Amino acid sequence: MENFWASNVWGIMLIFSALFGSLLLGNVLKKGIPFLRDSLIPTSVLGGTILLIIAAVYEGITDVAFFDTALFDGKGNALLEMITYHALALGFIASSLKTSDAKMTKKRTTEIFNTGVTTVSTYLLQAIFGMGITVIAALIVTDFFPAAGVLLPFGYGQGTGQALNYGNIYETDFGFVGGKSFGLTIAALGFLSASFGGVIHLNLMKRHGKLKKAVTEEHRITAEEIEAQGEIPMQESIDKLTVQVALIFVAYAIAFGIMYGLGLLLPGMKATLYGFNFLLGVLAATLVKTVLKLLKRAGCVKKEYTNNFLLTRTSNFFFDIMVVAGIATIRLSILEKYWGIILILGVVGLVITYVYNRIVAKLLFKEYTEEQFLAMYGMLTGTASTGIILLREVDGDFKTPAADNLVYQNFPAIAFGFPMMLLATLAPVKPYLTLVIFLVFFAVMNIILFRSFIFRKKK
């Protein structure tokens, strides 16, 4: 029998206490310090940074990893990585379970498609520059991993969870020592790029008289958002929030079943398959949502079980936890030889993402250029939440379609981006060939993106 005072009983609880405590402290600092209040740094990034500093100072003094002490049952870093890995998929599943009644016109469909293509093109651009830098670095730095630059699009373009996934694949399958911390550090720099790059751009807009501060009334939650017509009641024999969480975990169990089955069929790709937990989670969530619709049409289910308001809150909860845990698990001591390369990757990632998305927004989204640019730049250096934070500064009421573009672009982005995820596992084996394929892939995606200019009909 377990003793209730044993560290293996309390370790995971204390990990979550540290994560939530750092979030609260980060929120206090952001509200109380003018510099942080004026910046666009997410509170989750501040919370993770607080834990990162505490862990780095403790390890510097004791030579022992802070989260691997007996207080956290000696395996705190592994738990943080596990939380980051699962929170990514759970957040995506919660978002995918949401329903929409919006009708798509041909113009809106084109804009959403172009947004998805822009996302994948930016991933490829980040991969090309990132891998180019690390291939050169491998010629200079002894035993450096030449494919490390592929972590730039996963850290910047896809965020903390995927940076950890592919960093782990590179570390466990290809011998990249410190791969997980390398990827997570790139993701942390991405959030800083989103925040400070966004602030600089907004100040430039203000200086040129182009920024009209979005004035919004405080959003008051209505009863219809929480309990819309035809939905299950907020409280009955089971709480409505409990139902949302249950559906999320049922979908995740289905995703695990898919990964387990594919792992048996393709044992050589098991690490890659389990790295796609978020993608298969989206597929499973779509399946669950479809089954609920069919049951309702058949009369087996009388009420709507999903609620967009609660699912949004739940997905944001998972993403906040993912970011805090991801940053907290970075081991700075492992990366001491690579700081120069990491900083170069961070700066280059900021510049190319800024310039490319600026060009795309000006050419393809002329009716709402600034809104589209800020949303895309924020998402492609941080997460969709960071994109929304920047967008609020110029479109607080979401009157332009930029916010919807971020949501619906996931479908074309996943379709076009899937081959790149597979190529990422080829990069450590054949880095030069992979770099060439990335270049060709990027050219093809830009032909698709700018098709209206390239194949313009003659009048």
Side-chain angles (χ1 to χ4, degrees):
M1 293 185 61
E2 296 288 350
N3 294 320
F4 290 139
W5 54 85
S7 61
N8 61 334
V9 175
W10 282 95
I12 191 168
M13 291 295 105
L14 292 175
I15 282 284
F16 277 105
S17 297
L19 295 176
F20 290 124
S22 67
L23 269 172
L24 292 174
L25 180 56
N27 190 56
V28 170
L29 293 175
K30 188 169 176 65
K31 298 292 184 183
I33 300 175
F35 167 73
L36 293 176
R37 187 169 59 244
D38 294 337
S39 76
L40 300 174
I41 300 174
T43 300
S44 55
V45 174
L46 287 177
T49 304
I50 291 167
L51 290 180
L52 175 63
I53 292 170
I54 292 171
V57 171
Y58 183 89
E59 187 170 356
I61 296 171
T62 65
D63 288 329
V64 177
F66 175 68
F67 288 106
D68 284 343
T69 57
L71 183 66
F72 303 107
D73 193 27
K75 52 186 178 182
N77 275 304
L79 286 172
L80 288 171
E81 290 171 6
M82 179 185 71
I83 291 166
T84 305
Y85 170 78
H86 289 304
L88 170 71
L90 293 168
F92 268 99
I93 290 170
S95 297
S96 301
L97 284 171
K98 292 192 293 184
T99 57
S100 174
D101 297 323
K103 294 182 178 180
M104 291 293 173
T105 63
K106 182 179 179 181
K107 180 183 176 184
R108 288 294 300 120
T109 302
T110 300
E111 289 174 341
I112 289 166
F113 178 80
N114 286 343
T115 303
V117 176
T118 303
T119 298
V120 178
S121 295
T122 307
Y123 292 165
L124 290 164
L125 186 65
Q126 291 168 340
I128 290 164
F129 275 86
M131 197 164 176
I133 290 167
T134 54
V135 164
I136 294 171
L139 300 174
I140 302 169
V141 180
T142 306
D143 296 329
F144 183 69
F145 189 67
V150 181
L151 293 173
L152 180 60
F154 292 114
Y156 270 49
Q158 296 193 7
T160 310
Q162 278 298 83
L164 173 66
N165 280 352
Y166 276 88
N168 182 59
I169 291 171
Y170 287 171
E171 187 168 323
T172 56
D173 291 0
F174 300 102
F176 179 22
V177 178
K180 289 180 286 189
S181 287
F182 193 99
L184 291 168
T185 304
I186 293 293
L189 289 177
F191 280 107
L192 295 178
S193 297
S195 304
F196 292 110
V199 169
I200 291 169
H201 180 79
L202 290 167
N203 285 333
L204 288 173
M205 286 178 64
K206 186 176 181 180
R207 185 177 299 175
H208 291 91
K210 295 181 180 179
L211 177 63
K212 294 180 180 179
K213 178 69 175 177
V215 180
T216 58
E217 295 182 3
E218 183 180 350
H219 177 66
R220 296 185 182 277
I221 300 166
T222 62
E224 287 75 18
E225 287 182 281
I226 302 174
E227 193 171 339
Q229 187 70 29
E231 290 185 352
I232 58 173
M234 189 64 186
Q235 286 183 325
E236 203 175 41
S237 57
I238 183 172
D239 192 90
K240 194 170 186 174
L241 177 60
T242 307
V243 172
Q244 313 306 305
V245 175
L247 289 171
I248 291 167
F249 277 89
V250 166
Y252 201 26
I254 294 171
F256 171 76
I258 296 171
M259 287 184 285
Y260 183 79
L262 291 174
L264 294 176
L265 293 173
L266 304 167
M269 292 188 63
K270 185 174 286 188
T272 303
L273 288 169
Y274 279 86
F276 289 154
N277 65 327
F278 78 101
L279 183 57
L280 294 172
V282 170
L283 178 64
T286 305
L287 179 63
V288 169
K289 192 163 59 173
T290 302
V291 169
L292 287 173
K293 285 182 180 178
L294 291 173
L295 289 173
K296 189 176 181 185
R297 286 179 187 174
C300 300
V301 172
K302 305 296 183 184
K303 298 279 188 178
E304 289 286 349
Y305 276 76
T306 58
N307 176 271
N308 287 357
F309 173 77
L310 293 177
L311 286 170
T312 299
R313 305 279 73 76
T314 308
S315 66
N316 288 347
F317 165 79
F318 285 125
F319 287 141
D320 281 341
I321 289 298
M322 178 192 74
V323 172
V324 178
I327 294 175
T329 197
I330 295 171
R331 297 284 303 279
L332 297 179
S333 58
I334 297 175
L335 301 172
E336 57 185 356
K337 294 192 299 183
Y338 305 145
W339 277 112
I341 299 169
I342 289 172
L343 291 175
I344 291 170
L345 284 171
V347 173
V348 170
L350 185 159
V351 173
I352 60 173
T353 306
Y354 182 97
V355 172
Y356 181 73
N357 280 274
R358 191 77 186 136
I359 292 169
V360 172
K362 283 186 174 182
L363 290 177
L364 299 180
F365 300 89
K366 294 182 180 180
E367 294 179 6
Y368 51 101
T369 297
E370 296 298 341
E371 292 84 355
Q372 178 73 8
F373 165 72
L374 284 168
M376 291 298 290
Y377 172 76
M379 182 184 73
L380 289 167
T381 48
T383 62
S385 298
T386 321
I388 292 296
I389 289 171
L390 289 177
L391 178 61
R392 283 184 185 277
E393 296 296 312
V394 293
D395 183 20
D397 293 323
F398 300 138
K399 293 179 180 178
T400 67
D404 286 339
N405 289 349
L406 289 191
V407 176
Y408 297 114
Q409 62 85 31
N410 282 300
F411 296 103
I414 287 172
F416 284 114
F418 185 73
M420 180 187 165
M421 295 178 184
L422 295 176
L423 283 171
T425 57
L426 175 67
V429 182
K430 296 185 177 180
Y432 295 103
L433 175 61
T434 307
L435 187 54
V436 171
I437 295 173
F438 280 149
L439 285 165
V440 174
F441 196 179
F442 178 70
V444 171
M445 294 305 296
N446 278 275
I447 290 171
I448 296 172
L449 184 60
F450 297 110
R451 62 197 178 280
S452 60
F453 294 93
I454 297 171
F455 304 109
R456 184 176 293 169
K457 293 180 180 179
K458 294 182 180 179
K459 293 184 179 179

